[in-house]
Amino acid sequence: MEISIIALPLIASIISGFFGKLIGDRSSEIVTSLLVTIAAILSAFVLYEVIFNDYQDNIVIATWINSGTLDVNWSMKIDSLSAIMLVVVTSVSSLVHIYSIGYMSHDPHKPRFMAYLSLFTFAMLMLVTSDNFIQLFFGWEGVGLCSYFLIGFWFKKETANAAAIKAFVVNRVGDFGFALGIFLIFYLFGTVNYSEVFELIPTVVDKNIIFLGIEVNAVDLICLLLFVGAMGKSAQILLHTWLPDAMEGPTPVSALIHAATMVTAGVFLVVRCSPIYEYSELALNIITIVGMSTAFFAATVALVQTDIKKIIAYSTCSQLGYMFFATGVGAYNVAMFHLFTHAFFKALLFLGSGSVIHAFKDEQNINNMGGVWKKLPYTYSLMIIGTLALTGFPFLSGFYSKDAIIEFAYLRGNTTGYYAAGIGIITAFLTSIYSWRLIFKTFHGEYNNKDIKIEETHESPLVMLIPLILLSIGAIFAGYIFKELFVGYGGASNFWKDSIFFLKPLSTEHPPIWFLVLTPILVILSIPIAYYLFVKNKNLPHQIANVNKPLYNFLLNKWYFDELYDLLIVNPSKKFGLFLWKFFDVKLIDGFGPDGISTLIKNFSLKANKFQSGYIYQYAFVILVGFSALLTFLMVK
């Protein structure tokens, strides 16, 4: 049964990818959706067994590499952590497959699209069920490749191609650090299997090694190198620039890859490697700082964006920051709790935005929308649910998971924890403001689209609404139902067993009452504030932007990260590349190589041609010179 979970999406991808034209568009959609849905049902059954029957297993599928001390298997590690990820990946993927039947109905390449979705699901499942770093890296690179395919799916659009290449290149930076971390693990321990590495970590806690001429602690270096990979995949600040551009792909791609699954791989990596990270205070503090910086940065940028998908993309970036600083303060289980609940409401928001885009005939600018809440009642209601869950409105899923992160950061009791908790509260308020800004500007106020009449807007078909309804159920109830399972009293639930390692048990204290109610109060107050700003007094935001023009431009240009990278990396690299091409390639290699030889032969041929004059005395002279040269050669020899 367990092997079927990873095999079914692969089979679906092969059928749709290689035989899509043969079986037709509709059959491709049905086959892929059906097989991935079966995988989701089986995953739910596995989670049930893990929860109620303490089921754990390590299923070896085949021997992969056996050379010296390197012994790597294709396997499925089933424990609490992988069971949760199986449910998240397969359930969201199955709903996205079904949603795509309606959303991609006018696309001429539906079998290819469904094949890519299923292949991505397979790669992600290989990642989360691995029991060693090599298989993890295989899945890691597999989801990166599928992300490239899907972002650039509409390859005739230059912007889509550029976004796909950008995502691929930026992730290569992170993956280089990740690969170095795996090499270092094998260098130190002679193995890449989780169980063996985690068991040996305490033996190298005090070991120092030389890296780039600097003496560093071995465990610190392993943690930091692995975290560089996590930063790239999970779009953390400095390696985040690819995520907003990735919205060039179809909306179902954004929901599956860039909201619920692939971007959470970095969080999963850190949690899976908790037996390593618990021995590195330096790495945990850096993760906390990076996480809270990303959360705040992305929330500020989302305040001024106008593309409906990019607003939600920056929201994803921000929520991933929450998950990382949860791991940084040692609350790995709380990070997984937020990852779990976030998958439902963020996929709901992305697919809801796709429904809006579908209604507006591919319009994505929220300034060109408005006043359609009566025309799109189901989409409107479902996006309200997603927004309430995202902002942490009391008793919805985000309320339980996000507030738990802020509380455990506060209970950490050190300076970094207090800063993270403070930034988390501020970011929660900003999140609520930009989320309600999206809702109010999209659905309320005056209708602002000059190209499409309001009568032409329409609700999405049932095949698109059913996945939204199912996701909304998770957005409402997942937090309440699973809080005790994930977190438990004091934060250390028995559910996790050996899948998460706590060197120091989490605090069982409760924060002060004022601290507990502060975030919910700010979240509730943000709703009337956003309504006043974006519906009642729409000129006020423009006035504020004009008064604070430098700050507004700073946020609008995303803190100028892209411009800074262009200045420091892209443009110098282009100039250096042009120099290498024009000087080394054209002048040296081609000049002395193929071009030089051909030019020399051509010139020699032109000179030799002059001897073909028809005069006997010139032929006799050439014969004499040739005979003299041959005689000289023989004499010297």
Side-chain angles (χ1 to χ4, degrees), residues 427-448:
T427 303
F429 178 71
L430 296 177
T431 301
S432 196
I433 292 291
Y434 71 68
S435 298
W436 287 108
R437 170 179 175 263
L438 184 151
I439 292 294
F440 290 139
K441 289 182 77 69
T442 302
F443 295 101
H444 289 272
E446 298 176 0
Y447 184 77
N448 297 312

Side-chain angles (χ1 to χ4, degrees), residues 422-501:
I423 293 294
I425 292 170
I426 295 169
T427 303
F429 178 71
L430 296 177
T431 301
S432 196
I433 292 291
Y434 71 68
S435 298
W436 287 108
R437 170 179 175 263
L438 184 151
I439 292 294
F440 290 139
K441 289 182 77 69
T442 302
F443 295 101
H444 289 272
E446 298 176 0
Y447 184 77
N448 297 312
N449 197 300
K450 297 178 181 178
D451 299 322
I452 306 167
K453 294 180 181 179
I454 192 169
E455 292 79 16
E456 296 179 23
T457 59
H458 56 86
E459 188 60 90
S460 298
L462 202 59
V463 73
M464 292 172 64
L465 291 176
I466 288 175
L468 293 177
I469 294 168
L470 295 174
L471 288 169
S472 69
I473 295 171
I476 296 171
F477 298 111
Y480 176 77
I481 293 173
F482 290 94
K483 181 177 186 294
E484 189 63 31
L485 182 71
F486 278 82
V487 181
Y489 180 76
S493 170
N494 292 326
F495 165 70
W496 297 106
K497 299 182 177 64
D498 298 331
S499 61
I500 295 179
F501 175 75

Side-chain angles (χ1 to χ4, degrees), residues 379-393:
T379 300
Y380 171 67
S381 302
L382 294 166
M383 286 197 72
I384 288 286
I385 293 171
T387 299
L388 289 169
L390 167 64
T391 58
F393 194 83

Side-chain angles (χ1 to χ4, degrees), residues 125 189 225 267 372 530:
L125 293 174
F189 306 115
L225 288 173
V267 181
V372 293

Side-chain angles (χ1 to χ4, degrees), residues 321-333:
Y322 272 102
M323 297 176 207
F324 272 110
F325 82 66
T327 62
V329 299
Y332 305 99
N333 52 335

